[in-house]
Amino acid sequence: MSSRERSTITFQWHSLSEMERVATICAVLWCAPAVVLLEGDLGVGKTALVQAVLKLWGVRGRVKSPTFDLVHIYELTSTTVYHADLYRIRQAEELETLDLPEPLSHQVLLVEWGEWVRDWYPERWDAHLTRDPDGTRVLALRAHGRVPVQRMAEWGETAHANHWD
Ligand SMILES: Nc1ncnc2c1ncn2[C@@H]1O[C@H](COP(=O)(O)OP(=O)(O)OP(=O)(O)O)[C@@H](O)[C@H]1O
Ligand SMILES: [Mg+2]
């Protein structure tokens, strides 16, 4: 399902139900504090992955895409999750009106089309999604900074010990 090399892991899935397994790993790696920038073409499945992760974190009901509101906030028991979509941002000045947080210990920031804010967050996950011609989704998940790299390494050891990869 995955392969590891340094600070990048790749996952593949062929259906939304297969994606759920990947989401369980993301839900562990992306626990607070975390910033995740989701990149990939229109309709590739960024929101679908976020929806699956939020469900695992206990969000009930339908998670809508924040394409029009730009940011949706979910207050969970011990975590606040910001789900943003910056597709409609056309110039950097528009970002000033956005209330995106510094990643505090109890916060998670999941940003679709997050290239705009990459420089704000040296500690982050870059989640790059692509779709093969046969519909297979490929996620390249890259850790940047101390905490994400450490989590990735810990996960890698656990996965290796459990023969998950
Ligand atoms: N692995 C998959 N298998 C089948 N359908 C999928 C898969 N991933 C996503 N989809 C479906 O593709 C459609 C678009 O997905 P989604 O909205 O998650 O894309 P997105 O990358 O967030 O798009 P946008 O760039 O517009 O925000 C949805 O109907 C979703 O259910
Ligand atoms: Mg989306």
Side-chain angles (χ1 to χ4, degrees):
M1 184 180 62
S2 70
S3 65
R4 290 172 295 136
E5 56 163 67
R6 291 187 185 172
S7 58
T8 305
I9 332 175
T10 58
F11 301 95
Q12 285 189 11
W13 58 91
H14 305 91
S15 64
L16 286 172
S17 56
E18 262 188 54
M19 186 195 67
E20 307 273 331
R21 251 186 99 191
V22 178
T24 60
I25 296 167
C26 294
V28 172
L29 292 175
W30 300 348
C31 62
V35 173
V36 183
L37 306 187
L38 294 121
E39 298 163 25
D41 290 345
L42 273 176
V44 75
K46 301 179 292 295
T47 302
L49 182 59
V50 169
Q51 285 167 332
V53 170
L54 285 176
K55 198 170 157 196
L56 289 164
W57 285 341
V59 173
R60 307 220 180 284
R62 201 170 118 66
V63 169
K64 291 190 190 140
S65 170
T67 309
F68 294 101
D69 307 318
L70 297 181
V71 189
H72 290 161
I73 300 174
Y74 300 89
E75 297 285 356
L76 306 180
T77 316
S78 56
T79 312
T80 305
V81 181
Y82 294 73
H83 178 200
D85 183 333
L86 306 185
Y87 179 72
R88 280 152 47 91
I89 298 285
R90 287 287 167 262
Q91 45 195 356
E93 293 74 51
E94 293 173 50
L95 295 169
E96 288 164 18
T97 60
L98 279 182
D99 201 13
L100 295 182
E102 287 299 310
L104 300 176
S105 59
H106 65 289
Q107 290 173 333
V108 177
L109 181 52
L110 306 172
V111 191
E112 298 183 40
W113 300 97
E115 295 90 337
W116 283 105
V117 295
R118 187 180 287 133
D119 292 346
W120 298 6
Y121 301 112
E123 293 260 331
R124 65 173 195 277
W125 299 91
D126 283 343
H128 190 250
L129 269 164
T130 50
R131 176 172 36 196
D132 288 347
D134 67 356
T136 304
R137 267 50 169 203
V138 180
L139 169 66
L141 183 61
R142 177 147 199 214
H144 294 269
R146 194 179 56 83
V147 173
V149 166
Q150 192 178 330
R151 273 188 208 170
M152 178 87 93
E154 284 165 7
W155 178 81
E157 281 162 25
T158 314
H160 191 60
N162 289 294
H163 306 290
W164 287 346
D165 58 349

